[in-house]
Amino acid sequence: MQGVHFLLSLLVLGLASSFASAYDPSPLQDFCVAVKDSEIKSALFVNGKFCKDPKDVTANDFFFSGLDKPGNTSNRVGSNVTQLNVDKIPGLNTLGISLARIDYAPYGLNPPHTHPRGTEILVVVEGTLEVGFVTSNQQDGSNKLFTKILNKGDVFVFPIGLIHFQFNRGHTNAVAFAGLSSQNAGVITIANAVFDSDPRINPDVLTKAFQVDKNIIDYLQKQFWVDNNN
């Protein structure tokens, strides 16, 4: 029986360790301000950023100005994301947090995407948004949609790694701010990744996956190539 308890303890410890390592590592000092990539004269890569010498750190390493200014939504989807991650605020390095402002034109869309390294919590400060996320594949093969209409002051959470979206349902502009549980949560926009990867995914693969005629896949790939090369 003691052996069983020991094995269970090891299992719990192993699971706890895997959960702990699934997110940004905890800092081992007060701060670790990121060194700009252009300042690194080395072929080494690290999980995150190199730390600036604390003697050279200033208040500006923890500062950004201009988040009050709306982003340009004059694009095909009618939205703009201003990301404040470790590349914009070096002081975020190792702190496991970042911020974004999202602007939406009337009926603008922040298209289905995922953040592979962070959970997102979003608050609407202007307008009305339809938001939602889709679960991973369930045992019966289904994917459940959780969706909600958000008004000014409403908050919604998108769990890490799950496909989610925001759509401006109104005829006026909308604005939201999002906090993410990573200094660099990453983003994968589903349509762009599928139809505009480099090199392109074999159209035969996409034709089979989406169960449509190959002409439709060719059309979609050409559309995304035109959009991203104009």
Side-chain angles (χ1 to χ4, degrees), residues 83-168:
Q83 295 189 41
L84 293 186
N85 56 24
V86 67
D87 293 323
K88 297 285 184 65
I89 305 178
L92 288 174
N93 196 37
T94 76
L95 299 185
I97 192 170
S98 58
L99 180 69
R101 170 180 173 142
I102 309 101
D103 291 278
Y104 312 83
Y107 305 103
L109 171 71
N110 189 10
H113 62 282
T114 74
H115 300 295
R117 295 182 293 275
T119 291
E120 176 181 345
I121 182 167
L122 178 133
V123 57
V124 177
V125 298
E126 182 181 330
T128 299
L129 297 178
E130 177 181 347
V131 306
F133 68 85
V134 180
T135 65
S136 58
N137 297 351
Q138 304 300 293
Q139 289 186 346
D140 62 359
S142 66
N143 301 88
K144 185 173 181 180
L145 171 66
F146 292 86
T147 185
K148 196 79 174 173
I149 302 299
L150 304 184
N151 296 302
K152 182 177 179 179
D154 290 342
V155 176
F156 199 79
V157 174
F158 305 106
I160 183 172
L162 298 186
I163 296 174
H164 59 282
F165 62 88
Q166 302 108 36
F167 175 62
N168 182 5

